[in-house]
Amino acid sequence: MLNFINLVSTWAIPVILAFIPLYAYAKKVPVYDSFVDGAKDGFSTAISIIPHLVGMMVAISIFRASGALDYVISWVTPWIKNWGVPSEVLPLGLLRPLTGTGSLAFTTDLIRTYGPDSMIGRIASTIQGSTDTTLYVITVYFGAVGIRNGRYALKVGLFSDVVGFIAAIAICLLVF
C-alpha cells in the first residue's frame, strides 16, 4: 500500500500537467493563446491586489509587534498542556492562518531545534500541511474579484484552520 501511495504522489502532478494541455488540444482550444491571455489577466490581478496585501501585512506586523501574539499564547498554553499537547506548536497554530512565510519559518525553526522525527517536528509538519493561510487567501481572492463582505468566508476559513490544527495534533498523538 505504501508503495502505491508513493507511486501516486510521485506521478500525480506530472500527469495532471500533461493531461490538461493535451485535453485542451483535443477539444480544439488554442492552448498557447489561452495561456498568454491568462498570464495577461494574472498580471493585472497581481497589481490590483497589492493594496490588500499591504494592509494585511501591516495588520500582521502590528499583531506580532504589539505583543498580542505572545499574550494569546501565554493564555492558552496551560489549557493545551493538560491534553498532552506540546506548547511549542501553539504559536504555529496562531501564525498559520495569518502568514504562510512566517509559519514556515517557525516550522523550520521547530524542526531544526527538536528534529524532524520528534513529536514536535511531526506535529508542526502536519499542522503546516493541514491548515491554510486563511487571511492571505481571503485577501488575495476577494481583493482580486472585488468582494467587500467576506465575513462568512472568514469564519468558515478560521474554523477549518482550528479543525485542521486539532486534527493534526490528535492524529500525531494517536499515530506516533
Side-chain angles (χ1 to χ4, degrees):
M1 182 65 166
L2 185 60
N3 289 335
F4 175 72
I5 292 171
N6 285 333
L7 183 68
V8 169
S9 66
T10 301
W11 284 99
I13 292 177
V15 167
I16 290 171
L17 290 177
F19 174 76
I20 291 171
L22 291 174
Y23 182 77
Y25 180 76
K27 292 290 187 175
K28 308 282 192 243
V29 172
V31 177
Y32 184 74
D33 294 335
S34 297
F35 174 78
V36 170
D37 289 341
K40 287 179 189 175
D41 292 341
F43 184 73
S44 63
T45 300
I47 296 299
S48 69
I49 64 173
I50 287 175
H52 302 282
L53 288 174
V54 169
M56 183 193 67
M57 296 295 199
V58 168
I60 291 169
S61 297
I62 290 171
F63 180 68
R64 293 178 74 188
S66 70
L69 177 64
D70 296 330
Y71 176 75
V72 170
I73 290 169
S74 67
W75 184 70
V76 176
T77 298
W79 292 4
I80 67 166
K81 281 196 172 199
N82 291 338
W83 297 328
V85 178
S87 61
E88 292 84 358
V89 298
L90 182 60
L92 181 60
L94 297 172
L95 283 174
R96 183 70 176 142
L98 300 174
T99 170
T101 306
S103 65
L104 182 59
F106 190 80
T107 301
T108 303
D109 187 49
L110 286 176
I111 290 172
R112 186 178 303 122
T113 303
Y114 298 100
D117 291 330
S118 68
M119 182 58 76
I120 292 171
R122 289 176 174 165
I123 291 174
S125 299
T126 307
I127 290 170
Q128 190 73 15
S130 302
T131 57
D132 202 355
T133 53
T134 301
L135 296 179
Y136 176 80
V137 168
I138 287 176
T139 300
V140 170
Y141 292 132
F142 285 13
V145 296
I147 295 174
R148 300 279 180 220
N149 187 359
R151 68 175 180 234
Y152 296 115
L154 179 62
K155 290 176 187 176
V156 170
L158 292 176
F159 178 72
S160 67
D161 285 332
V162 169
V163 170
F165 179 75
I166 293 169
I169 291 171
I171 290 169
C172 285
L173 291 175
L174 184 68
V175 172
F176 302 112

